[in-house]
Amino acid sequence: MNVNRILKRAAQEIKPGQMINLGIGLPTMLIEHLPDDLDVLIQSENGILGSWKKTDRAHADPFLIDAGGSYVTTRPGSCFFDSSVSFAMIRRGKLDLTLIGAFEVDELGGLANWKIPGRFSPGIGGAMELAQKTKRVVVLCSHNDKHGNSKILRKCQLPLTASACVDRIITDKAVMDVTKKGLLLREISEDISLIELQTVTDAQLMVSKQLKRF
Amino acid sequence: MNVNRILKRAAQEIKPGQMINLGIGLPTMLIEHLPDDLDVLIQSENGILGSWKKTDRAHADPFLIDAGGSYVTTRPGSCFFDSSVSFAMIRRGKLDLTLIGAFEVDELGGLANWKIPGRFSPGIGGAMELAQKTKRVVVLCSHNDKHGNSKILRKCQLPLTASACVDRIITDKAVMDVTKKGLLLREISEDISLIELQTVTDAQLMVSKQLKRF
Amino acid sequence: MNKRQTIEEAIAKITSGSTIMVGGFGCPGTPFTLIDELLRQGQKDLTLIKNDANENSIGIAKLIDNFQVKKLITTHVGLNRKVIEMMNQGEIEIEFHPQGILAEKIRTAGAGSYGFLSDIGLDTEITDVEDIIEWQGKQLKIESAINADFALIHAAHADYYGNLIYRASAINFSPLMAMAAEHVIVETPNFVSPGELKPESVHTPCAFISSIVVLDKLSEQYDLLEHHFER
Amino acid sequence: MNKRQTIEEAIAKITSGSTIMVGGFGCPGTPFTLIDELLRQGQKDLTLIKNDANENSIGIAKLIDNFQVKKLITTHVGLNRKVIEMMNQGEIEIEFHPQGILAEKIRTAGAGSYGFLSDIGLDTEITDVEDIIEWQGKQLKIESAINADFALIHAAHADYYGNLIYRASAINFSPLMAMAAEHVIVETPNFVSPGELKPESVHTPCAFISSIVVLDKLSEQYDLLEHHFER
């Protein structure tokens, strides 16, 4: 999987003035790619607004991690609060954007990212509330799992995190928007043809008239 | 009404180590009679734990009043909090004692102190939660209204603040405990005979074997 | 992310018929300057939500006296005899709640929830039997969340982003209302740069704040009330 | 009003079979010293409530490894593969909630309420249809309050009365748990006199605190986790 292609493309989703939550995994990695003067506030659901990049041993504070467990810095104007206030913010829809990982995502905007029954069930964490309540939800994930199976499905098979919540999906192979009619392919990787993409994608793709390469 | 007799007697209700709420009116006046080194914490439901005596023009802070509207001082170790935390404390039963005023109180421990329909309905304020949830509720009021009617009733006629909530009633004429069998007269004012007291009291009084004067 | 506005701009967003939460318990926390601008602009048919009605001719009492308020959701108006009279005359509708229940109804809206289960006042006249349910073997009352279009808030300090710190007994309902209302307008005499507030000491995170109005100084309305010392 | 106790006294109040809330999100806020004493005293059949299971061999993972925990109510245990395996093997019962719902369930208990109405996860497998009611035209889920016998809390500062201040991301669930549990045991490395904490900056008012255990110093468990820098 071309992680850098996903991160580079995902960075374009972030607009100045936004409040943003970055899920564990790929989304959190994105923060290291943002310019230091970008006027955004990163919310970390463990109780930080204004969380910023990872820091090194010399500057880390043992009492300051982000929700992914990394020692982070904060930006001037940050604040700390308890978990009930953190999720009040989330459930009240105050966040502009959530970038979130997925086990599966479907053409109805359904997201599954918390449970693979009997095998790996790390728990729900903040995902259900973030997916259901953030103004804009963008999924970052590999297009296919390590066995080559499509993560972009007609309908999620795993237990749902939230239905009809995803606005956009960014993978190593494609950028797709969830529309009422299904998935609209907006951008396609330079490394793959349209036919090849549909072959490795379970969901049916509509192709934008302004299809771009990325 | 002999206000000082009520306040002097009420002061005996307060034990070191307690957290206490004092209602508007008579109860709040009590605080001025407490020794400065008494180890108690006064809760004021507008968001103070460690509220203390009234202060003068020279020392008052316009942003610091108690729930009765008086400019107060606070004691070292006080803290301020929002109204939801203030009543969390109250509803969780963390207060040891509430001293509270009454329009009417009855032999079942019922309290009415928020509404005289069509005439005077200042509102509920914190009374309902304090009366229902404080570990010990002591009513301070005049024994009779200005027309001579008993405030100590067999059954409250006014809309209830809370039923079966009062533990003790202290008036200018008597100290009465609410028991399962009814009101038990513990102490009687020096100025009145037992027969006179029952005459001006609507509720039926049982008399303690250890009846005292106060 | 600049939220600073003139007071005229900020209050002009409020339309007649709006529901407005107003911080403050008595004077502390009452946003007197924002209220005065609302008085000047004259929006009508307002529903106000505030712990109390302030005292005669102070704070929201001015809006009530000016007939801008059709309904007041509150806990206690004992310090304002005029409002009690207007209520008795049917000139204003007043809805009373126990103080902590009102606080919790507002916070519940602020938490993005819709109601909570309470055991307060079930056998009193404030409880409608239709609101009682049996849940896990207990009779409980469903208390609905209370939302609002706007909140008017006074903060001791606000930074560029809108992080707020309140002072002393001026905290009261303000952090709850800031969470609950759709648009939150803050007045502050101390507008500071990002980083000047201690991050652990912020009472209201900036995520909840829409507009910041900076007060050059506090008018005399924020001073001690002289009549509280007369007796 | 002296609440100071030795750690032995404070933890000895906990009996086997108790339900215990434990503050902390990852390491920050985890009361490592109180947990170690609970490990030493060996109370069994505990139900723990904590955001996560810490990491392998850290914090409450020690209690789980020592088979003192029969049930864990949590939101995410992704950083502890061993606990996931134990769950898969049926060696521990794990109850997952969405993180903010767990926070709110705890706070609801802390507010003396019994549940709240939520719209989170209604069409997911975490929702039992029996918990759904129609209220004011909306389908909503009743989320029950979660109470506990004890809470174990780490505070950056505590004063004589038990007023608490937390630091940075160590706030997380601690103020909520302190409100919700019947007995609240606090550890702190900074025990100060009344008046040393700024009254507006107190996160948890002392009314909720039962026992204060003063730590002479923070053990190395509170230091940076070296393996977080290895990559």
Side-chain angles (χ1 to χ4, degrees), chain C residues 78-110:
Chain C
L79 291 178
N80 195 326
R81 294 276 170 157
K82 190 165 167 192
V83 168
I84 296 180
E85 274 167 42
M86 286 176 73
M87 172 176 69
N88 289 347
Q89 301 300 320
E91 291 173 358
I92 186 171
E93 182 188 350
I94 300 199
E95 182 181 305
F96 285 119
H97 294 280
Q99 197 166 105
I101 296 299
L102 181 63
E104 205 64 16
K105 281 171 167 281
I106 294 168
R107 191 200 165 281
T108 298

Side-chain angles (χ1 to χ4, degrees), chain C residues 147-229:
Chain C
N147 300 274
D149 303 309
F150 294 89
L152 306 183
I153 300 292
H154 177 92
H157 290 83
D159 73 9
Y160 167 83
Y161 290 109
N163 292 303
L164 308 184
I165 291 181
Y166 311 99
R167 221 168 68 66
S169 77
I171 306 176
N172 60 72
F173 282 74
S174 297
L176 315 171
M177 291 175 167
M179 287 165 69
E182 211 43 44
H183 301 278
V184 179
I185 304 170
V186 178
E187 56 162 57
T188 185
N190 298 299
F191 183 65
V192 303
S193 298
E196 288 193 47
L197 303 180
K198 193 169 156 53
E200 287 90 347
S201 297
V202 167
H203 292 116
T204 296
C206 60
F208 297 107
I209 304 305
S210 319
S211 308
I212 305 171
V213 172
V214 179
L215 307 178
D216 289 336
K217 61 189 276 296
L218 293 183
S219 68
E220 59 189 17
Q221 296 183 87
Y222 299 84
D223 290 346
L224 296 171
L225 290 176
E226 282 299 323
H227 65 268
H228 276 230
F229 297 102

Side-chain angles (χ1 to χ4, degrees), chain A residues 105-110 152-156 169 177-183 202-205:
Chain A
V105 56
D106 69 30
E107 57 188 41
L108 305 165
I152 319 300
L153 304 178
R154 263 164 279 194
K155 194 160 184 352
C156 289
I169 307 162
D177 280 352
V178 178
T179 73
K180 282 176 191 162
K181 296 178 183 168
L183 289 186
D202 178 65
Q204 190 64 39
L205 298 175

